[in-house]
Amino acid sequence: MELHEYTQYDAVGLAGLVARGEVTAAELSAAALAATAAVNPRINAVVESWPAEDAPVPGSTPLAGVPFLIKDLAVSMRGKRVELGSRLAAGNVAGRDSFLMRRLRRAGLVTLGRTATPEFAYSTTTEPVLYGATRNPWDLARTAGGSSGGSAAAVAAGITPLAHATDAAGSIRVPAAATGLFGLKPTRGRVSLGPDADEVFNGLAVHGGLSRTVRDSAALLDLIQGPETGDPYFAERPRRPYLEEITREPGRLRVGLVTTPWSGRTVEPAVGEAALAAARLLESLGHRVEAATVDLGVSWEEFVLANARLWSANLVTWIDGLAGASGRPVDESTVEPEMLASYAWGLGVSGAQFVHALEVRNRVARSVGACFGARDLLLTPTLPEIPVPLGTYGRGAEHADGLGRMEHLLHRSPFTAAFNVAGTPAMSVPLACDPATGMPVGVQFAAGYGREDVLFRLAAQLEKAAPWAQRRPAVWAGAA
């Protein structure tokens, strides 16, 4: 299969070819590996590739036979390295499949490699020391976002139509916005994080995916959703498959428009206009849009502090565990300076402070959740700015402690983290481009707990009204 043919299809389309016998899963894997060789040297999205190990039954699922990539964090594939973007974990090999990996295999996806992540997923840009910066296929000088920046760059450049991602403060939605993709963060408890990452960031983190089409993300979530025995968080099973939801009309939705972030920082004009244009598009489709103010339930400063305590305390357990397993020291030879500062700050978080941070999480969950009683959705920019040049994130944060690091990260992405803390689903939809640079601009929609169905129905309607899948970045495997 030629690359220009392979990249014409989304994941569901490729699986259909396999089901009809028009192409084999092995041929698709060969095309994906060829695409990796063609474009990855320019974008540095895939940190390791390998030959296909699985041979799914054609037509057994809506994604059977489709090439796939997993993020180098939070998912384990037996016999493959999982390094969390850190020199401290370099060479670490998984001894078993995680629960998600088992479901990916059962879904018929053929995993062919690992994608880049910032160290410990602790950033919304992907520029780790271990493998170097991931570059945005739309502009190689700019960030692809993070922490799922490797997966986003790979999908945007046509290496695979769909890839694994995680999100604890925006790490699906931020790179989706930066690279012109669709990315939906599921509800807390929708997808199991077990058995080794159940309490990563204490309910803030979720598994999901990044795709060029809405139906690919719907198909993926259908195949990986549901709890495992002993999971600490649980979301009620959806009423019907998400692939069915995208064929249904969303009805007339009540949408609250929020254009100023809780932090109060300035939003770039092109980004603000994209959100307003999305509001006008919704109104043209029959939805009711009104300006909204959403109470976090706590001050922004208290919100940032609680996130810093949860994230830094979790970081301590990761670093100590990896150091103990590898026998490596915890210093600048193994851990990046910003992470060492957050680690040192995390060592000082007391048990009482940690419990208080969980109380803040619950207050935010109740306050944000309550806003969906009067409306179906919230509409915000995904990011306050277009993707910044590589190296920007590091400036001004060189001497920050764990709290300063969190302040810096949430300044860059002030719209997304509230829905991680609240546990509610949210999606970034690539509805606009910046006229001055041509860079993609994402618009975020958030729904109440467990209401991915509403998001998927609206996303499908928007995809039809303002299609984006045929936009092509400067680096595209189909042109190789």
Side-chain angles (χ1 to χ4, degrees), residues 374-433:
R375 58 186 65 87
D376 301 299
L377 298 173
L378 292 175
L379 160 61
T380 80
T382 305
L383 288 168
E385 58 197 357
I386 64 169
V388 296
L390 290 167
T392 300
Y393 272 65
R395 293 197 291 271
E398 297 90 342
H399 306 295
D401 60 11
L403 177 58
R405 176 69 174 167
M406 185 57 61
E407 290 172 339
H408 186 71
L409 291 178
L410 295 184
H411 174 75
R412 290 289 176 192
S413 182
F415 288 106
T416 54
F419 304 111
N420 294 86
V421 177
T424 56
M427 65 182 180
S428 182
V429 185
L431 289 177
C433 290

Side-chain angles (χ1 to χ4, degrees), residues 254-257 290-294 370-378 448:
R254 301 163 300 165
V255 181
L257 173 64
E290 296 178 344
T293 300
V294 178
C371 86
F372 294 109
R375 58 186 65 87
D376 301 299
L377 298 173
L378 292 175

